[in-house]
């Protein structure tokens, strides 16, 4: 069954990746879609192993009735809950980093004003006119010139500090109770428990066979 379940598992992790990257989907949809695809396999291999081949119509019927007969008990919903917070923090961090990259690229290529260009030329080359090619501008002068050149983007300072604080918060959340790696590793245990629950309740599930 492991080989047959490879495709639903692959789709689950693809959906999770798309969610983290900002796709218009939810963790709940990804998890429930996975269990919908898993149920026909569990039904034909573990609950009713005598079935050698399910027709496409019967397979689709099992998929559509999975949420009604709830073969996996509370485990499917528990998996949604366990993943949601960690994946949400990862999604927010991914979007924040993308936004930060855009801001950095925009400010990095901001055009210098004429006044800034003149000030930079004076700061760099005025000593050369007196033959003082090895003397560097004093720190105070450099700071004054840079303050003038960066005046146009200084209004971003407060927002940028808040942005950095948000990144720190999300990073700490992921490193603590919302650790992404631990949440993803826990998927296998949740799936195994869900399958075991369905297998143990096989007789009742067979009685409600669609």
């Amino acid at each position: 069954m492991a080989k047959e379940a490879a495709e639903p598992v692959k789709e689950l992790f693809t959906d999770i990746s798309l969610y983290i990257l900002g796709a218009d989907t939810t963790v709940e949809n990804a998890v429930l879609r996975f269990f919908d695809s898993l149920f026909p396999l569990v039904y034909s291999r573990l609950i009713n192993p005598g079935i050698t081949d399910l027709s496409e119509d019967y397979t689709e019927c099992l998929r559509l009735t999975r949420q009604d007969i709830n073969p996996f008990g509370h485990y499917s919903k528990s998996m949604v809950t366990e993943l949601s917070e960690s994946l949400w923090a990862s999604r927010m961090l991914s979007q924040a980093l993308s936004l930060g990259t855009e801001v950095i690229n925009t400010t990095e290529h901001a055009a210098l004003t004429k006044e800034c260009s003149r000030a930079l030329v004076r700061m760099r080359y005025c000593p050369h006119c007196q033959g003082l090619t090895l003397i560097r501008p004093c720190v105070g002068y450099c700071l004054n010139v840079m303050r003038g050149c960066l005046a146009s983007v200084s209004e971003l300072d407060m927002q940028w500090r808040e942005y950095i604080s948000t990144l720190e918060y999300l990073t700490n959340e992921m490193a603590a109770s919302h650790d992404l790696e631990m949440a993803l590793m826990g998927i296998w245990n949740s799936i195994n428990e869900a399958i075991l629950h369905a297998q143990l309740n096989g007789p009742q599930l067979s009685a409600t066979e669609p």
Side-chain angles (χ1 to χ4, degrees):
M1 193 179 96
K3 183 180 294 186
E4 296 169 296
E7 190 60 30
V9 171
K10 179 181 177 181
E11 290 178 357
L12 172 63
F13 279 89
T14 297
D15 288 342
I16 287 174
S17 298
L18 291 173
Y19 173 79
I20 292 175
L21 293 174
D24 185 19
T25 184
T26 64
V27 176
E28 182 175 21
N29 285 342
V31 172
L32 297 185
R33 189 162 81 97
F34 164 74
F35 280 108
D36 288 345
S37 299
L38 184 66
F39 181 45
L41 292 175
V42 172
Y43 186 83
S44 62
R45 297 295 183 271
L46 300 177
I47 296 175
N48 260 320
I51 300 178
T52 57
D53 189 27
L54 291 179
S55 66
E56 290 186 8
D57 289 342
Y58 198 79
T59 298
E60 185 61 20
C61 180
L62 288 172
R63 285 173 51 86
L64 294 176
T65 57
R66 198 276 308 169
Q67 294 190 43
D68 293 329
I69 63 178
N70 194 27
F72 300 112
H74 70 276
Y75 293 102
S76 56
K77 292 290 186 181
S78 296
M79 186 167 156
V80 171
T81 302
E82 291 167 3
L83 285 175
S84 290
E85 291 184 348
S86 297
L87 295 182
W88 176 86
S90 300
R91 177 184 172 99
M92 292 299 101
L93 181 60
S94 175
Q95 292 179 352
L97 290 173
S98 296
L99 177 61
T101 301
E102 292 179 12
V103 172
I104 290 173
N105 288 337
T106 299
T107 55
E108 185 179 18
H109 297 94
L112 299 177
T113 63
K114 290 182 178 180
E115 292 77 9
C116 175
S117 297
R118 292 193 188 101
L120 288 173
V121 170
R122 284 197 303 269
M123 180 179 73
R124 181 70 178 84
Y125 294 107
C126 275
H128 291 207
C129 298
Q130 301 176 24
L132 306 174
T133 57
L134 299 179
I135 295 181
R136 297 180 179 180
C138 65
V139 175
Y141 185 34
C142 288
L143 289 175
N144 285 333
V145 170
M146 295 312 298
R147 286 193 187 100
C149 287
L150 297 176
S152 60
V153 295
S154 62
E155 296 178 357
L156 295 174
D157 182 63
M158 183 59 69
Q159 289 84 349
W160 185 256
R161 290 177 185 273
E162 292 176 356
Y163 167 75
I164 296 300
S165 296
T166 301
L167 289 183
E168 292 176 347
Y169 168 76
L170 290 172
T171 302
N172 290 334
E173 285 293 294
M174 290 180 62
S177 58
H178 300 156
D179 182 71
L180 178 61
E181 182 179 2
M182 294 299 296
L184 294 178
M185 289 176 63
I187 287 178
W188 305 112
N189 186 53
S190 297
I191 293 174
N192 287 334
E193 289 181 341
I195 291 175
L196 179 60
H197 178 87
Q199 188 174 11
L200 292 176
N201 289 275
Q204 294 92 323
L205 293 174
S206 296
T208 59
E209 179 178 340

